[in-house]
Each structure stands twice: as structure tokens, then as C-alpha cells.
């Protein structure tokens, strides 16, 4: 599309030049100046990031990115030496200033030190593309900004600015090309990864397309948050089985710390960034996102097939489990994600005494480490007190395909 627009431009340019004498000394320069503006605008908008840098970026770690110039093969006819593209780190403030000047200003100073940050813009004759591939860029260090109030470093967004200046043939017009990457959160330690992912998720999910960099709403409708958590869950766990209505109800009770509202009440509420990943959950040492991310990680690593077979209810409160199991026969059990631990799955089961008394027991949660030693299926097979998966599937029928066939030796 860009290439055919350039063709139209060249035809118009030729027609204007052919009619230059009739147009006269007054109109011609004005037209030619307008032509340059139009070409420059088209050329600038055809410079884009093809492979984004990682949005959570750790210092001292190599990463890759590439930019593509859609009009390169057509407009950059054999220049003596290739054009070089630079990659610089810019703060949110710098990105904003660049955007407000419609990317006509150049960057005053880079906000971090990037190694191997200058790469040639090369045209590939076979694929007909013009790209600069950054293969082993490394962010050596980052200069942090002034932070507002209680903002943490993992809430600070920056971006990579890719820039170059090219001379466009045949008019030899010099155009400065700049393009920003998606927002990036820079971390220096792995333990910041989880909070950085929250910032990126919120930005990717809730930002408007045309915005001042990198402004995003502080509050979003709960329904939008449900969609986001569902998409994230399915993508991360690599499953086609998403979250259900009752799962959202439990998640709403958790994030809003409200156990009296109905499912419909939650539909009309909005959730804030603070509730998502700043405020610690009541009686816990972690935020809602840190807890949810732990569930994601555990499910992805150890429970994918169980989740996909719908053997895990997972998102359900202890109180509701008691209500479900209280009327069931002895040995009925279900699986829920732990409330008290990050990344744990627990088995709740009912024990009925001879005298008719009943009690719901929660087995100590299993972590990913536990489940890498012995799988969930085998642990369920080991536990004699577990009989039927709620509501009434015999455990061997439900979990049989997940048992490892073991050869029991003489010992």
C-alpha cells in the first residue's frame, strides 16, 4: 500500500513538473514544498518496529529487535554506504515530548546505556524487505526517573527509540525517521519480574491506541479485567479451556474483598491499578496479581492437562468448598488453588464419622516443586481417603489417564 502511494506521488510530481511553466513562479514552489511534506509524512509512517524488544527487560541481558522500512527497497537506491539505525532508551517523559512534536525533534540524551546499538539498514533482494536487525543488543544500565509518590521502579515505563536519517531518491529529500517500541519495564533482578509483568499487562490491555505515551487508565471496568485475566490465562497455560463465570465471581470477591455482593453487583464495578497490584490482600503478604501470577505459573508448569480436562475447579473459596462438600458422601474431594500460598494447589475432601458427623479437610498445598517430584495424579492415587471427584466421578475414572504406570519393585 505504501509503495503504490509512492507511485501515485511520483506520477503527480512528474505532471506538476511538466506543467511548471503554466503554473508559474508563484504556485510551483508552494506545490513542491507541499509535495515534500506529503512524501516526508508517508516515508516517516512507513518506518516501524517489526520485532518488539521484550517488554520486561533485564539489565545485562542480551535481547533482539528489528525495525523495517517499508519504502526502503523503493526509495533507498544504492547509496554509497548503508544507513545506520540507532537504538536508544527513552523515558516516558522523553517519549511524550517526541510524540507531541510529531517525532520531528531529535533525542537530547539516552536514558540508559545500550551496547551494540547501531545497526545497518539492509535491503534483502530476495524478500524485497529493508530491515535493521538488532541481534545481540544489551542494556548495560538504566537511569531511573523522578518517581511520583508511592510509585515503584517496576511501575516506571520507558521505550526503545529507533532512529536514522535517510536521503530519499530521486528528490534527495533528507528525512529523519524515528519509531518507538512498545512500553518496556526495566528490571535489575529476577524478583522484580512479577511486578514488571503486571505493569506491562495493564498497559497492553487497557491503553488506547492513539495516546500520549504511555498514559493508561487508573481504573477499568471489572468485565474488561475478566477478559484480560482469561486471555492471559489461556495464552500462558496454552489451553483452550478458559475461566468460567463462577471463577470470575471468586476472583471478584478476592480483588474487591467483598463476600456479600452478587455476581451481578460485580458486573457494574470498576477495578483500580492499586487493587490489582499495589494493595496487599487482607491477611496476606502479597497482591492480587502476585497471587494470580503464581497460579498461572503453577498451572503452566504442572497442571495444564488436569486444567484442560476440567479436573480442577481451582478458583473457589474455602467457605464455598465446605458448602459444596458438606452434603456429599465420605471421600468426595475437589481441587482448589491455595489462598494462603503463592502457586499452590490443595485438595479439599470430606470425612464422615460413624456417628454421621462430617468435616472438610484441606490437605497442605502442593507447590510446583512438590509436583515435579511426584505428579498430582499419582498423589491422588496414593491418598486412600480420596474416593470421588466432586460431584460424583470415581477418582480412577477421572484421573486414571494421569497416573504414571509404575513398576513396584520387591522393596
Amino acid at each position: 500500500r505504501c509503495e503504490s502511494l509512492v507511485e501515485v506521488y511520483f506520477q503527480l510530481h512528474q505532471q506538476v513538473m511538466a506543467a511548471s511553466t503554466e503554473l508559474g513562479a508563484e504556485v510551483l514552489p508552494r506545490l513542491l514544498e507541499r509535495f515534500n511534506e506529503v512524501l516526508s509524512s508517508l516515508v516517516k509512517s512507513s518506518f516501524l518496529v517489526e520485532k518488539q524488544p521484550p517488554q520486561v527487560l533485564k539489565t545485562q541481558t542480551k535481547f533482539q529487535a528489528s525495525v523495517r522500512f517499508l519504502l526502503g527497497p523503493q526509495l533507498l537506491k544504492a547509496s554509497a554506504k548503508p544507513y545506520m539505525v540507532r537504538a536508544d532508551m527513552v523515558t516516558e517523559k522523553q517519549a511524550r515530548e517526541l510524540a507531541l512534536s510529531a517525532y520531528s525533534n531529535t533525542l537530547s540524551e539516552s536514558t540508559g546505556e545500550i551496547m551494540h546499538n547501531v545497526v545497518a539498514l539492509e535491503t534483502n533482494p530476495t524478500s524485497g524487505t529493508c530491515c535493521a536487525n538488532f541481534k545481540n543488543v544489551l542494556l548495560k544500565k538504566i537511569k531511573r526517573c523522578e518517581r511520583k509518590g508511592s510509585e515503584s521502579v517496576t511501575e516506571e515505563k520507558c521505550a526503545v527509540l529507533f532512529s536514522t536519517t535517510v536521503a530519499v531518491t530521486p528528490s534527495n529529500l533528507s528525512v529523519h525517521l524515528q519509531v518507538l517500541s512498545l512500553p518496556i519495564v526495566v528490571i535489575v533482578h529476577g524478583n522484580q519480574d512479577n511486578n514488571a509483568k503486571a505493569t506491562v499487562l495493564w498497559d497492553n490491555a487497557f491503553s488506547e491506541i492513539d495516546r500520549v505515551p504511555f498514559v493508561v487508565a487508573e481504573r477499568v471496568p471489572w468485565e474488561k479485567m475478566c477478559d484480560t485475566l482469561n486471555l492471559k490465562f489461556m495464552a500462558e497455560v496454552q489451553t483452550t479451556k478458559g475461566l468460567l463465570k463462577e471463577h470470575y465471581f471468586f476472583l471478584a470477591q478476592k480483588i474487591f474483598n467483598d463476600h456479600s455482593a452478587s455476581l451481578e453487583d460485580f458486573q457494574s464495578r470498576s477495578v483500580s491499578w492499586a487493587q490489582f497490584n499495589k494493595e496487599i490482600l487482607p491477611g496476606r503478604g502479597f497482591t492480587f496479581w502476585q497471587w494470580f501470577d503464581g497460579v498461572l505459573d503453577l498451572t503452566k508448569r504442572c497442571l495444564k492437562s488436569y486444567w484442560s480436562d476440567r479436573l480442577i475447579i481451582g478458583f473457589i473459596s474455602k467457605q464455598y468448598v465446605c458448602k459444596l462438600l458438606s452434603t456429599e458422601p465420605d471421600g468426595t474431594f475437589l481441587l482448589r488453588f491455595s489462598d494462603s500460598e503463592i502457586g499452590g494447589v490443595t485438595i479439599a475432601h470430606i470425612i464422615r464419622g460413624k456417628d454421621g458427623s462430617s468435616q472438610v479437610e484441606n490437605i497442605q498445598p502442593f507447590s510446583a516443586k512438590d509436583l515435579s517430584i511426584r505428579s498430582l495424579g499419582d498423589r491422588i492415587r496414593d491418598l486412600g481417603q480420596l474416593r470421588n471427584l466432586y460431584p460424583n466421578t470415581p477418582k480412577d475414572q477421572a484421573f486414571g489417564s494421569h497416573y504414571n504406570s509404575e513398576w513396584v519393585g520387591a522393596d
Side-chain angles (χ1 to χ4, degrees), residues 350-362:
I350 184 147
I351 302 170
R352 287 204 175 282
K354 295 266 191 293
D355 56 356
S357 63
S358 71
Q359 181 185 355
V360 173
E361 285 277 320
N362 284 279

Side-chain angles (χ1 to χ4, degrees), residues 202 206 216-221 256 269-275:
W202 187 276
F206 307 123
V216 63
E218 267 298 300
R219 301 190 75 84
V220 296
F256 293 115
R269 289 198 194 178
S270 66
V271 62
S272 68
W273 162 250
Q275 286 167 314

Side-chain angles (χ1 to χ4, degrees), residues 3 104 149 157 250 269 296 305 352 361 365 387:
E3 287 174 348
S104 53
K157 291 178 275 197
F250 165 73
R269 289 198 194 178
L296 277 184
S305 56
R352 287 204 175 282
E361 285 277 320
R387 299 203 178 105

